[in-house]
Amino acid sequence: MTDLQAGLTSATHPLERLSEAESAAGVAIVKADSRFTAKMRFGSVNLHTPLKSSVIGYQAGTPFERAVDMVLLDLADGSTVEVTASLNTSAVTQWDRIVGVQPSIILDEFFESEAAIRNDAGFQAAMAKRGITDMDLITVDPWSAGHYNDPLEINNRIVRGLVWVHDKPGDNQYARPIDGLSVIVDLATQKVLRIDDERVYPVPAESSDWSRKFVDNVRSGVKPIEIVQPEGPSFTVTGDHIAWQKWDLRVGWTTREGLVINTVNYTDDGEVRPVLYRASLAEMTVPYGDPSNTQARKNAFDVGEYGLGMLANSLKLGCDCLGEIYYMDAHICDAAGEVIPLPQAICIHEEDTGISWKHTNFRTEDVEVRRLRRLVVSFICTVGNYEYGIYWYFYQDGRIENEIKLTGILTTGGLFDGDKTKYGTVLGPNIYGPNHQHFFCTRLDMQVDGTSNSVVEVNTRQAPADENPWGNAFYAEQTVLKTEQEAQRRIDPMTGRFWKIQSSERKNATGAATSYKLIAGENILPFATEDSSIRARAGYMWNHLWVTPYDPDEYWPAGKYPNQHAGGAGLPEWTKANRPIENTDVVLWYVMGHNHLPSLEDWPVMPVANISFTLKPSGFFDRSPAMDIPASSGCKVV
Ligand code: CO
């Protein structure tokens, strides 16, 4: 044991996820510091990200630095403190106080703000006006406040409570919105600062339940499907490291992003070739498109204002993955720094996804077909009314896909009798689902055959007339994106646009740079105006692709502290420098938007909507990497 490995850690790799004991040790080091006071709350507890240079080429057994980053909220003056505690030396190595920012909303604040609202006399009077007196039937969702030049947003740490009323305990709260009303709570004092009570809508009378205790109409004829893997799955897990079908990677976790995919390699003919250094969902924003005062301010930044890891599901309950499952546990810390275990937060399994390739020689009836499998690494989080499943797929043919599954319940609004609205979809008497969008920004720290990469945009063009005697010709026009501002791009399905990430060092058999291409799926742009609050606060949404040179301080597309922030931070700010991005260590930020004009079928729980993008080998291999997939054994004929 060297000095660096002594101390409070038994980690065996710099990227290993923090253990519960390590998080607790980090918290204990901070609590023992003379600067720590009883007025301080723990906003987040995370692994101090190790330097990329210390990870690439890391040799097992070599000592390394291990530290815990914590964000504290100081209720004494509303300031934020960024602290780092070394697990090697038990010393606090960073203690920076920051004024004028708001860390993400802490889980404890969800419940505290709801209680504060229920107990407030003014709120009870507002409910009485609506004929509601039983406070036990009231539910409050604490929405992040955003920034609309309201003095309360600038001077206080707040949430905007939106209110629902149950008809009976455990029923679907979203069936009964108390629209026209929002309650602003000071999270430092847990006092109601203001009640914006604009309009009394009738409370919808209809129930619309999803819990099985209320639903007795179950279809018949669903016979069992069992996924049988008699020899077990084809992957092996060692700590956080997964090896499967020539792929290998490390699972990471932060309270902000939830699942992180680290150091993805593909072993090609015995040679380990890097593809991706780090990938995660780095921000998401859900802007609402309804002009009413209550709805217009719904603009949740679910990563930066809440934290997907903080809201991750324990997959112990329910049946989220099918087959031979390997679960990884996670944990979070509450405001007091106490560890809360999250058993089975990450699901790892493999899936059959149909055929990989097939050819029939119709003359000889020689047939070859291969089935394709993928490794799935996923987690699911619940952000108030909505669920997001984040899935990373690794295919035997060298593809990587990221899919987000959106489900959960619409956050609803109220209507007067017989009213309709063009800013949403009427779901029943006195209730509608407002129009909104979901934007996801995935940070892709690429490493295609080395850390030095370039990004090339490919558009398919009609050939010029002098080369096109038959009028049929077209070709791929390739444009190297040389600077950050050149690399602020949008999709163009009409030119089949995609982006290649190519190695600066390695060539394939034809002499071209080895590369992966980023293929867009469903996408859209925001409809918010240039002078809207959300345009400033989530500027990243206005491009589908951003490329930056790697900088260890740049992780968050809308800034490190988007909660109540006026805007401008993150990608729009960094890329003003217009740094060169050619033949360098590049980070891609792919933004995909889902346009949600609710339909009746989304109610009461939305069947999954899928949105995805793919990283596909493009001259990375010299031939199809799927030719060596073994033929599968017989098929069952009914
Ligand atoms: Co939606």
Side-chain angles (χ1 to χ4, degrees), residues 386-405:
Y386 244 80
E387 265 71 19
Y388 297 99
I390 289 95
Y391 293 75
W392 288 94
Y393 303 124
F394 300 87
Y395 292 86
Q396 286 168 309
D397 62 9
R399 268 180 301 153
I400 302 171
E401 185 183 0
N402 174 242
E403 181 180 42
I404 295 173
K405 299 186 184 184

Side-chain angles (χ1 to χ4, degrees), residues 357-368:
W357 59 267
K358 173 167 186 170
H359 186 61
T360 301
N361 183 329
F362 69 90
R363 294 181 178 85
T364 63
E365 294 194 339
D366 187 10
V367 181
E368 294 290 348

Side-chain angles (χ1 to χ4, degrees), residues 286 288 386 388 406 410 436-438 594 596 606:
V286 188
Y288 278 71
Y386 244 80
Y388 297 99
L406 301 85
L410 294 165
H436 61 276
Q437 300 180 296
H438 305 254
H594 174 68
H596 195 176
M606 186 171 100

Side-chain angles (χ1 to χ4, degrees), residues 321-456:
C321 305
L322 204 56
E324 296 279 328
I325 312 297
Y326 186 96
Y327 287 110
M328 286 183 180
D329 298 338
H331 66 275
I332 57 173
C333 292
D334 68 11
E338 293 295 319
V339 168
I340 303 174
L342 260 178
Q344 301 186 359
I346 302 162
C347 177
I348 299 156
H349 72 297
E350 60 185 329
E351 287 178 351
D352 177 294
T353 58
I355 64 169
S356 172
W357 59 267
K358 173 167 186 170
H359 186 61
T360 301
N361 183 329
F362 69 90
R363 294 181 178 85
T364 63
E365 294 194 339
D366 187 10
V367 181
E368 294 290 348
V369 61
R370 298 292 183 274
R371 292 199 68 80
L372 182 66
R373 282 191 211 183
R374 65 185 180 193
L375 174 76
V376 186
V377 185
S378 67
F379 82 109
I380 297 176
C381 54
T382 300
V383 190
N385 54 302
Y386 244 80
E387 265 71 19
Y388 297 99
I390 289 95
Y391 293 75
W392 288 94
Y393 303 124
F394 300 87
Y395 292 86
Q396 286 168 309
D397 62 9
R399 268 180 301 153
I400 302 171
E401 185 183 0
N402 174 242
E403 181 180 42
I404 295 173
K405 299 186 184 184
L406 301 85
T407 178
I409 307 183
L410 294 165
T411 165
T412 47
L415 291 169
F416 292 106
D417 291 349
D419 270 8
K420 286 189 174 145
T421 170
K422 68 177 177 184
Y423 299 109
T425 303
V426 176
L427 301 169
N430 308 115
I431 185 170
Y432 76 105
N435 298 341
H436 61 276
Q437 300 180 296
H438 305 254
F439 287 91
F440 305 92
C441 182
T442 300
R443 181 181 181 277
L444 297 162
D445 185 348
M446 300 300 297
Q447 197 187 350
V448 178
D449 280 325
T451 47
S452 182
N453 288 173
S454 293
V455 181
V456 179

Side-chain angles (χ1 to χ4, degrees), residues 12-13 16-17 235-243 249-251 326 328 348:
T12 58
H13 188 277
E16 195 168 306
R17 291 173 303 136
F235 57 79
T236 54
V237 180
T238 313
D240 290 338
H241 182 263
I242 309 174
L249 58 107
R250 281 183 178 278
V251 170
Y326 186 96
M328 286 183 180
I348 299 156

Side-chain angles (χ1 to χ4, degrees), residues 453-505:
N453 288 173
S454 293
V455 181
V456 179
E457 178 168 297
V458 182
N459 291 286
T460 305
R461 303 287 185 204
Q462 190 180 83
D466 59 349
E467 298 172 14
N468 199 7
W470 306 102
N472 63 310
F474 56 88
Y475 68 103
E477 177 193 71
Q478 309 213 25
T479 310
V480 177
L481 304 176
K482 293 189 171 139
T483 65
E484 289 179 292
Q485 286 170 21
E486 275 182 40
Q488 293 172 12
R489 307 299 299 162
R490 293 173 175 178
I491 59 161
D492 185 353
M494 294 305 110
T495 70
R497 179 172 295 171
F498 61 84
W499 298 282
K500 281 201 306 191
I501 305 99
Q502 64 184 35
S503 172
S504 307
E505 290 150 18

